[in-house]
Amino acid sequence: MLETNNGYKSGFISIIGRPNVGKSTFLNRVIGQKIAIMSDKPQTTRNKVQGVLTTNDSQMIFIDTPGIHKPKHKLGDFMLKVSKNTLREVDVIMFMVNAEQKLGKGDEFILEMLAGNPTPVFLVINKIDAIHPDELIGIIDSYKERYNFAEIVPISALQGNNVENLLTTLSKYLPEGPQYYPADQVTDHPERFIISELIREKVLHLTREEIPHSIAVVIDKIRRDEENEDKIHVAATIIVERDSQKGIVIGKRGALLKEVGTRARKDIEMLLGSKVYLELWVKVQKDWRNKSTHLRDFGFRDDEY
């Protein structure tokens, strides 16, 4: 931890909510670069992703959690536990909802989870750019009836509307404390994790139906090219659950896998600041989402597994 002047504030802020409410979009906007992958498919985020925002007078450590949903397999159990555990570790909880969606069972479940929690809870109503301003009052009232929120802040994470106001308000709730991370550090995740997520994001974008939830990405190696030090060699394996899924991910004559590689390589080069040679493989691991050993091997580590 770095020494700071008196009055410096720092703290941890958990972002929770139903799947696909814009948590990762918000985190990437605040941090100023992509550290959390984005997709229109639910359950895109599977692990805690920490983003660090450092200013002259504060440091906010945001924790983007998996979208809260009813688990259907061991991976789902893991994701729910990750989200729940962060509620006990933070200084502020951001409960993010989608302005386009009515308060539903998923939101009720989250509000029940929050009941009795002494941590200040912000209701953050995202995607206000997609609704008429007159609709906002009704949305606010429906949530105010169910929970005593510390603050209610409407935003558009995509367009940036009211995000600065949210950050200013959040800082008021943080305790005085040290600067936990260097000012230029934007995440606590290693490059290997972010690279695997960037590859997984491209598969999410390019596939449909059962594929998105059935894949994991394992980084086999990252090393600088011995003959050309300006180039980094990345080898990764995309894990699927069935032979039919392997065929879909590879595509006709390898076309889809090649497109995944082309898109992912651009993001990885931006992340690493170097030219990248990306090598991708696809491997079948039957029913990996329900097997504790595979979950551990693929980076989903938890006391239960």
Side-chain angles (χ1 to χ4, degrees), residues 154-295:
I155 67 163
S156 168
L158 185 64
Q159 296 189 354
N161 301 354
N162 214 32
V163 170
E164 283 300 322
N165 177 49
L166 172 58
L167 296 176
T168 301
T169 309
L170 281 169
S171 69
K172 295 175 183 177
Y173 284 77
L174 297 182
E176 288 192 10
Q179 183 180 316
Y180 291 97
Y181 297 95
D184 60 352
Q185 185 170 339
V186 295
T187 182
D188 70 334
H189 274 294
E191 289 173 341
R192 181 176 290 261
F193 170 83
I194 299 175
I195 290 169
S196 70
E197 287 288 88
L198 291 173
I199 296 167
R200 186 166 71 90
E201 178 186 54
K202 307 316 171 196
V203 181
L204 292 179
H205 287 172
L206 291 167
T207 57
R208 290 290 180 266
E209 298 168 3
E210 82 277 17
I211 298 295
H213 305 312
S214 305
I215 66 161
V217 177
V218 178
I219 303 300
D220 302 309
K221 67 179 176 184
I222 303 174
R223 71 161 187 239
R224 224 162 252 290
D225 193 308
E226 293 177 2
E227 296 180 3
N228 182 359
E229 291 193 355
D230 292 333
K231 180 175 277 191
I232 296 174
H233 183 188
V234 177
T237 302
I238 299 169
I239 309 294
V240 295
E241 290 188 315
R242 294 193 291 277
D243 290 326
S244 60
Q245 295 170 344
K246 180 177 179 179
I248 293 171
V249 172
I250 293 174
K252 190 174 182 179
R253 297 180 182 173
L256 193 138
L257 187 62
K258 183 179 179 181
E259 183 64 18
V260 168
T262 300
R263 295 188 186 189
R265 180 175 50 78
K266 291 177 182 177
D267 278 357
I268 297 168
E269 286 179 341
M270 286 184 65
L271 176 72
L272 300 180
S274 293
K275 289 289 184 183
V276 168
Y277 169 65
L278 178 60
E279 191 176 11
L280 295 178
W281 306 90
V282 184
K283 179 181 177 181
V284 178
Q285 200 70 264
K286 305 283 186 184
D287 198 29
W288 69 264
R289 288 180 295 173
N290 269 318
K291 294 180 180 176
S292 301
T293 53
H294 292 330
L295 288 171

Side-chain angles (χ1 to χ4, degrees), residues 23-232:
K23 299 184 295 293
S24 297
T25 304
F26 169 80
L27 186 63
N28 289 335
R29 170 168 286 279
V30 167
I31 301 308
Q33 68 184 73
K34 182 182 285 189
I35 61 169
I37 68 171
M38 298 180 291
S39 166
D40 59 0
K41 300 173 178 68
Q43 303 173 34
T44 299
T45 301
R46 288 176 173 169
N47 258 302
K48 282 195 305 185
V49 177
Q50 283 194 184
V52 183
L53 175 65
T54 305
T55 66
N56 291 332
D57 52 14
S58 70
Q59 186 171 78
M60 301 182 193
I61 300 101
F62 291 94
I63 304 173
D64 179 20
T65 61
I68 295 173
H69 64 286
K70 188 176 181 180
K72 295 179 180 178
H73 37 61
K74 281 196 174 185
L75 176 59
D77 291 334
F78 171 88
M79 291 163 64
L80 181 59
K81 188 168 184 181
V82 166
S83 295
K84 282 185 171 181
N85 284 349
T86 63
L87 303 182
R88 298 194 297 267
E89 302 168 354
V90 297
D91 300 289
V92 181
I93 297 168
M94 274 177 52
F95 173 30
M96 185 174 287
V97 300
N98 182 348
E100 294 181 286
Q101 298 173 342
K102 291 185 178 180
L103 192 153
K105 289 183 179 179
D107 299 304
E108 296 280 9
F109 177 66
I110 295 169
L111 291 171
E112 288 173 14
M113 276 175 46
L114 294 172
N117 192 319
T119 306
V121 178
F122 279 39
L123 175 67
V124 178
I125 304 170
N126 190 23
K127 306 190 183 183
I128 57 170
D129 54 296
I131 65 167
H132 192 279
D134 292 346
E135 297 177 57
L136 196 54
I137 296 173
I139 297 169
I140 292 172
D141 288 343
S142 66
Y143 281 93
K144 280 175 71 174
E145 291 172 1
R146 288 166 171 80
Y147 196 88
N148 184 24
F149 295 99
E151 301 282 349
I152 298 176
V153 186
I155 67 163
S156 168
L158 185 64
Q159 296 189 354
N161 301 354
N162 214 32
V163 170
E164 283 300 322
N165 177 49
L166 172 58
L167 296 176
T168 301
T169 309
L170 281 169
S171 69
K172 295 175 183 177
Y173 284 77
L174 297 182
E176 288 192 10
Q179 183 180 316
Y180 291 97
Y181 297 95
D184 60 352
Q185 185 170 339
V186 295
T187 182
D188 70 334
H189 274 294
E191 289 173 341
R192 181 176 290 261
F193 170 83
I194 299 175
I195 290 169
S196 70
E197 287 288 88
L198 291 173
I199 296 167
R200 186 166 71 90
E201 178 186 54
K202 307 316 171 196
V203 181
L204 292 179
H205 287 172
L206 291 167
T207 57
R208 290 290 180 266
E209 298 168 3
E210 82 277 17
I211 298 295
H213 305 312
S214 305
I215 66 161
V217 177
V218 178
I219 303 300
D220 302 309
K221 67 179 176 184
I222 303 174
R223 71 161 187 239
R224 224 162 252 290
D225 193 308
E226 293 177 2
E227 296 180 3
N228 182 359
E229 291 193 355
D230 292 333
K231 180 175 277 191
I232 296 174

